[in-house]
Amino acid sequence: MPYLWLLWLLLVTVHDARQRRVPNWLVLGGAALAGGALAMNAQPFGVHWPDALTGAALGFGFLLVFHVAGLMGAGDVKFAGALGLWVGAAPLLPIWIGASLLAGLHAVLLVVLRRLPWFPRLTLMLSGRPRATDDPGLRQQTRPIPFAAYLAVVAAVWMAWGRQS
């Protein structure tokens, strides 16, 4: 089951980094895998139903505030809820902090690169603006930071190193 979880995180990371969105099928697929793992007592992190549901509610509810304020996309919020279903409530705070630090670094780097246009391709990649080959109807928003991707990366790091005692 941890390999399916890591595959799901990889898919979310790639999709969000490339398109700046996390599609519903990917979020629902991850939530269904989490529910299946819980139902079969095959949950890789020792999380049980009450903690998983609390994690899902906290993950969704906390980031929903940022979405309502226009600071975050809905896919990021839904992904955080599905992630909370996997990891439970306790790991969410360190995962959020790590992802926020990465997103902050992304924002600072983007500001610097926009002021010093030495690397235009890197600036374009970090900004999330559509390339000539992208579908113009796909990108309605201008959110340059793929927060779900950073949540996924930090969650994978948490699994690999943070859980070892």
Side-chain angles (χ1 to χ4, degrees), residues 125-141:
M125 183 183 75
L126 288 173
S127 70
R129 293 197 178 121
R131 295 178 303 268
T133 59
D134 288 341
D135 179 10
L138 184 63
R139 294 180 192 254
Q140 300 296 322
Q141 86 289 358

Side-chain angles (χ1 to χ4, degrees), residues 31-159:
L33 283 172
L38 286 162
M40 295 184 308
N41 286 329
Q43 217 287 340
F45 310 117
V47 175
H48 300 288
W49 280 106
D51 191 31
L53 294 175
T54 302
L58 284 173
F60 184 84
F62 181 71
L63 293 186
L64 183 61
V65 173
F66 293 97
H67 173 67
V68 170
L71 301 172
M72 184 171 291
D76 299 330
V77 176
K78 292 179 277 188
F79 172 71
L83 181 63
L85 194 59
W86 275 104
V87 301
L92 285 179
L93 183 61
I95 290 172
W96 283 333
I97 290 171
S100 296
L101 290 172
L102 289 176
L105 181 62
H106 180 129
V108 168
L109 184 59
L110 187 55
V111 167
V112 168
L113 287 172
R114 283 182 177 163
R115 291 184 185 199
L116 304 171
W118 296 333
F119 303 102
R121 285 184 178 218
L122 180 59
T123 305
L124 184 64
M125 183 183 75
L126 288 173
S127 70
R129 293 197 178 121
R131 295 178 303 268
T133 59
D134 288 341
D135 179 10
L138 184 63
R139 294 180 192 254
Q140 300 296 322
Q141 86 289 358
T142 58
R143 291 184 182 92
I145 298 176
F147 193 69
Y150 291 134
L151 283 171
V153 166
V154 174
V157 170
W158 167 82
M159 185 191 122

